[in-house]
Amino acid sequence: MTRELMIDDPRPPCTECNLYKVSPSVNLRSVMPRVNFSEIAVITDYPRTEDFSMKTPLMGINGSNFNDVIEAAAIDRNTLYLGNTVRCAHPTRKPNKKEIETCFKKTREEIANAKPKVIVCLGLNAAKAVIGRSDITMKRDHGKFYSGKRIFGYDCSITFTWHPSEKVLAEFPERKAEMIKDFLKAKVRVTQGSSYKVPKQWADICITDKQLWKNHVYPLMKEDNILVLDLETTGLDEKADDAAFT
């Protein structure tokens, strides 16, 4: 059973842009962690149909893919702030720049109050809205960190990764590994360390998805030197990419 806690918004339903007239629901609320706040916030673009049905961001197939990624990075969903740049949705198109600018201020206020150390944006649309730059690209810049002080009013870091959409991950399965890497880098940033010591549950994930680990995650981790494997804790040997599976 989920322990997610909705942020209660005492304000009346938003009518600041025309999306409220056509959206399946109005002003989808963000989710604030009830316990053990990991100091990571996740912001995606706009709600999908399943999000409105469950009254929670990142549900349905996209949410399932997202859950797989953060589980592989040993992150508990119940410790995350989850929000959208836009809280309503048009049935036939993506939100435009004016709608994003109008709506994102609510999420910005919540982030400023919660003060997470790292904000992870899912997808380029969310990243551009949060960082406020149009020159960033997903392929070149995902996993990089940007200062959030100008945007949120306190010292924090912003990064972004691929959106966990069914279409994206089905067509480019290697992007799942890149998402896991980006979330691991966010964990390292939170602790202000140079590397992340993998917890024991990582071993179970590796054994479950051997090819993902061997062909994608392990090489990416070694490349950036942010992953530290403890043989005694995990049973995985950091000196051999396939040691756990031979």
Side-chain angles (χ1 to χ4, degrees):
M1 182 169 59
T2 182
R3 295 184 308 229
E4 291 169 346
L5 177 66
M6 293 292 187
I7 293 179
D8 291 324
D9 191 343
R11 293 169 293 191
C14 176
T15 58
E16 293 186 35
C17 76
N18 289 328
L19 281 181
Y20 81 95
K21 297 179 181 179
V22 295
S23 181
S25 181
V26 178
N27 197 22
L28 181 71
R29 293 178 294 176
S30 304
V31 170
M32 180 66 78
R34 187 185 294 273
V35 293
N36 300 326
F37 187 25
S38 69
E39 298 183 303
I40 297 176
V42 177
I43 300 177
T44 186
D45 44 15
Y46 58 92
R48 274 49 171 189
T49 301
E50 297 88 349
D51 302 343
F52 286 119
S53 299
M54 302 298 292
K55 299 182 179 179
T56 302
L58 291 167
M59 301 302 290
I61 296 297
N62 292 349
S64 178
N65 290 336
F66 171 73
N67 291 343
D68 289 343
V69 167
I70 60 173
E71 179 185 354
I75 296 174
D76 184 351
R77 178 176 170 130
N78 292 312
T79 67
L80 299 174
Y81 166 97
L82 303 175
N84 298 89
T85 56
V86 175
R87 303 182 180 209
C88 296
H90 195 282
T92 60
R93 64 168 175 82
K94 296 179 180 179
N96 59 41
K97 182 178 180 180
K98 183 177 180 180
E99 290 162 347
I100 293 172
E101 290 175 348
T102 299
C103 196
F104 179 62
K105 60 186 178 183
K106 296 178 183 177
T107 300
R108 184 168 56 236
E109 290 173 4
E110 291 172 357
I111 293 288
N113 288 331
K115 291 183 169 52
K117 291 183 179 179
V118 177
I119 296 94
V120 181
C121 304
L122 301 181
L124 191 59
N125 291 331
K128 288 182 175 180
V130 175
I131 298 172
R133 288 178 52 173
S134 59
D135 61 331
I136 56 176
T137 70
M138 182 61 70
K139 194 169 184 179
R140 182 191 66 207
D141 299 321
H142 76 88
K144 294 181 180 180
F145 289 94
Y146 301 81
S147 172
K149 187 170 185 179
R150 175 183 59 84
I151 300 160
F152 297 106
Y154 72 98
D155 287 325
C156 60
S157 298
I158 305 170
T159 187
F160 60 94
T161 190
W162 301 96
H163 191 281
S165 72
E166 180 181 21
K167 181 179 180 181
V168 167
L169 297 188
E171 189 172 354
F172 304 100
E174 69 276 7
R175 291 181 180 175
K176 182 179 181 181
E178 293 178 355
M179 292 178 70
I180 295 169
K181 173 186 175 182
D182 293 340
F183 271 97
L184 279 171
K185 290 173 71 174
K187 290 186 69 169
V188 172
R189 194 78 168 193
V190 165
T191 60
Q192 297 182 334
S194 58
S195 61
Y196 171 65
K197 192 170 184 178
V198 176
K200 190 176 188 310
Q201 61 261 43
W202 186 273
D204 297 331
I205 297 165
C206 295
I207 292 170
T208 301
D209 200 340
K210 298 176 183 180
Q211 293 305 311
L212 176 68
W213 169 260
K214 182 177 178 179
N215 297 334
H216 298 297
V217 178
Y218 185 89
L220 288 171
M221 296 299 99
K222 296 300 289 184
E223 176 187 324
D224 277 8
N225 196 32
I226 67 169
L227 183 65
V228 176
L229 286 176
D230 183 347
L231 178 59
E232 183 177 351
T233 301
T234 64
L236 304 175
D237 186 353
E238 64 178 349
K239 295 179 182 179
D241 61 1
D242 60 351
F245 315 122
T246 55

